[in-house]
Amino acid sequence: MLIVHCPVCGAEGDETDFHYGGEAHIRRPATQDPTTVSDAAQRDYLFMRRNPKGLHFERWRCDRGCGKWFHAVRDTVTMDFKATYGITELPPRELMEAASGEWAAFFKDKLDAAKPSRKGKSS
Amino acid sequence: MSEAQLETALTGREAPGDLAIEIRELTTRGMIDLRGDAGDGKFMAAAKDVLGLDLPTAPRTSAAWGEVQALWLSPDQWLILCPRARTEELLAALRQALAQIHSFAVDVSDMRTIIRLEGHAARSVLLKGCSLDLLSPDYAAGTVRRLRFAEIAALLHIVSERPDVLDLYVFRSYADYAWEWFLANGRAVAAIQPFGQQAVPAV
């Protein structure tokens, strides 16, 4: 039994009160001009999913509660929920850093972007 | 021509006297589904003008003013309770006040059936059908929570504590099922001890 915490309404319940919504942070390629999207990119967007051992980032819905979607970080080895966060948000920094494999590669530029910039700082 | 008559889902059903809790259907309540942006001051002010209460913004809470109550369902959704006879009037007033604001209000009085549970065993009977920790202080009077109850979607409103009065809202088509569930699981001999050793019923 998984115990899930909804970050929107604060409700805590077992997994039957929630609904699993697949992998998180999937971005649709080039929505401005679909004709420029390569077949490979479209295939990856539609079908290719990560299957990590360890931290996994996924979408869940507070199905029988407030009805809102949110993100969750789950350890696929221990089935332990590490954190839940808003649907428009990135995971907590320490969890982005703790991610491994493909997730680590995915979060790398986001971590870099979030780093405090030293450029233009007058001494 | 015969007159159209309101008939609720559980009309004519009476609970047997040997249940550990008292259950009955509340039939005189009107319900309005109200949605809007809680961050929009205009929306909140317009709703307050009509309802006389501040829509609750804290999760899983409710507010009451006179005979009108507002239950928090989600960050942008509330269930407004009022006497059934006042529903139309209140709905019209809400729609007028909210006319220029991105929102909606719909009469859903017949969408759900309300089963009222009373008695000290109300929580422990309900616990047989849901995974919430209803005995924790989180579930104080005024708490509203949607939940999965006996495999169906339901809405729980804790009206008062000691003695416990709980309102359980289920969709109308499940009213019969929910009622029968209470008849099957609400008997005194089936009372459970939520934690620790189970009491053995007298044979």
Side-chain angles (χ1 to χ4, degrees), chain B residues 38-172:
Chain B
D40 180 355
K42 269 196 222 158
F43 167 75
M44 297 300 271
K48 187 179 181 177
D49 267 358
V50 177
L51 303 172
L53 50 80
D54 282 309
L55 290 175
T57 51
R60 293 170 286 133
T61 57
S62 58
W65 192 82
E67 52 193 8
V68 177
Q69 293 182 71
L71 312 185
W72 186 96
L73 295 190
S74 92
D76 52 9
Q77 186 178 19
W78 295 266
L79 188 68
I80 311 297
L81 310 177
C82 62
R84 192 175 267 269
R86 272 197 64 199
T87 317
E88 269 185 43
E89 167 209 332
L90 201 60
L91 184 67
L94 263 178
R95 284 193 171 155
Q96 196 182 3
L98 298 174
Q100 300 303 318
I101 303 167
H102 184 59
S103 62
F104 79 61
V106 179
D107 182 357
V108 292
S109 300
D110 298 314
M111 187 170 160
R112 294 182 175 95
T113 293
I114 311 168
I115 299 175
R116 171 157 284 191
L117 320 173
E118 281 171 279
H120 69 278
R123 289 179 193 236
S124 53
V125 167
L126 206 56
L127 269 173
K128 298 179 194 181
C130 72
S131 64
L132 308 181
D133 182 7
L134 290 177
L135 304 178
S136 88
D138 283 358
Y139 293 92
T143 304
V144 176
R145 167 81 200 251
R146 285 198 279 189
L147 72 158
R148 199 175 83 119
F149 156 74
E151 316 299 325
I152 60 175
L155 166 67
L156 175 67
H157 180 204
I158 299 181
V159 180
S160 68
E161 289 176 288
R162 284 186 285 272
D164 272 333
V165 178
L166 315 182
D167 282 353
L168 189 75
Y169 297 69
V170 296
F171 288 115
R172 188 190 164 101

